[in-house]
């Protein structure tokens, strides 16, 4: 079974993001970039499926600027067998990425596509759902457990107030939640081995996909600064403030 995993290059989750001076977006120049954490989980799950003898090949795909090759090399070091970069300098919105992945799925015919539930930069939580709709394949989003057997995926999903377990027919789309697994660290020997693994490069035009942005970002602003807290002498003073200042009781 072939598994396709999408990996996005995003600002590292440890970096405190800064806004561009003109408020048009987040500053990415000279900022540490890494694989989207939910995509590390997606890849880890694919590698575990391969180790269990269920997956036979793992294909990692990233869409974006040439530097996404670094993210793909990391994916190859973690355990992907091959990688595809869809290279574009355009801002790629979720619909464009979903169309690019659709085109690759139609060529590569994976039985399972694993994506992160969201990219930590745009927080869109859209690409997996859009891809499922475009392909007409079943989807299981926010997976915290995944079992593959008899041409089906049994997926436990994190939903409001608990867990839901569904069974969907393959080929299918799964998006990962935080508790699905704990990704492994990349080892030096595997980084060396990854250099020899195949990495192809396509342009969106070669896949017949128009990636022009459909949405326009008007303005990006920082969250309001929190005011410093105050210490109160006793519960009576707290009740007084809640009643007379905050007016919440
Ligand atoms: P989003 O819908 O933007 O929150 O992203 C959800 C998931 O879609 C991510 O965790 C990735 O697996 C995938 N994805 C989104 N954008 C890209 C991209 N440019 N390249 C590869 N995968 C992507």
């Amino acid at each position: 079974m072939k598994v396709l995993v999408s990996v996005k290059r995003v600002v590292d989750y440890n970096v405190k993001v800064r806004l561009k001076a003109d408020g048009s977006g987040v500053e990415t120049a000279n900022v540490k970039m890494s694989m989207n954490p939910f995509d590390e989980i997606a890849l880890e799950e694919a590698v575990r499926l391969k180790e269990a003898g269920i997956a036979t090949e793992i294909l990692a795909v990233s869409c974006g600027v040439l530097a996404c090759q670094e993210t793909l090399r990391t994916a190859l070091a973690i355990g992907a067998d091959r990688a595809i970069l869809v290279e574009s300098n355009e801002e790629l919105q979720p619909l464009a990425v979903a169309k690019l992945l659709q085109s690759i799925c139609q060529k590569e015919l994976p039985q399972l596509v694993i994506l992160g539930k969201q990219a930590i930069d745009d927080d869109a939580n859209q690409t997996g759902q859009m891809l499922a709709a475009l392909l007409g394949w079943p989807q299981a989003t926010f997976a915290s457990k995944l079992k593959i057997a008899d041409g089906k995926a049994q997926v436990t999903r994190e939903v409001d107030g608990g867990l839901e377990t569904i069974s969907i027919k393959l080929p299918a789309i799964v998006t990962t939640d935080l508790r699905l697994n704990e990704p492994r660290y990349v080892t030096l020997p595997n980084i060396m081995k990854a250099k020899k693994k195949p990495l192809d490069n396509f342009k969106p035009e070669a896949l017949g996909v128009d990636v022009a942005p459909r949405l326009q970002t008007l303005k990006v602003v920082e969250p309001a600064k929190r005011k410093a807290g105050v210490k109160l002498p006793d519960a009576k003073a707290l009740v007084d403030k809640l009643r007379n200042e905050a007016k919440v009781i």
Side-chain angles (χ1 to χ4, degrees), residues 215-230:
L215 305 172
Q216 187 194 351
T217 302
L218 299 180
K219 200 162 104 188
V220 180
V221 289
E222 290 214 26
K225 293 252 178 321
R226 289 179 65 178
K227 280 199 229 140
V230 285

Side-chain angles (χ1 to χ4, degrees), residues 6-8 36 39 61 63 97 115-116 118-119 122 124-127:
S6 61
V7 293
K8 186 174 188 186
N36 182 43
D39 300 348
V61 180
C63 310
V97 176
L115 304 90
Q118 76 194 62
D122 61 15
N125 177 10
Q126 292 174 352
T127 311

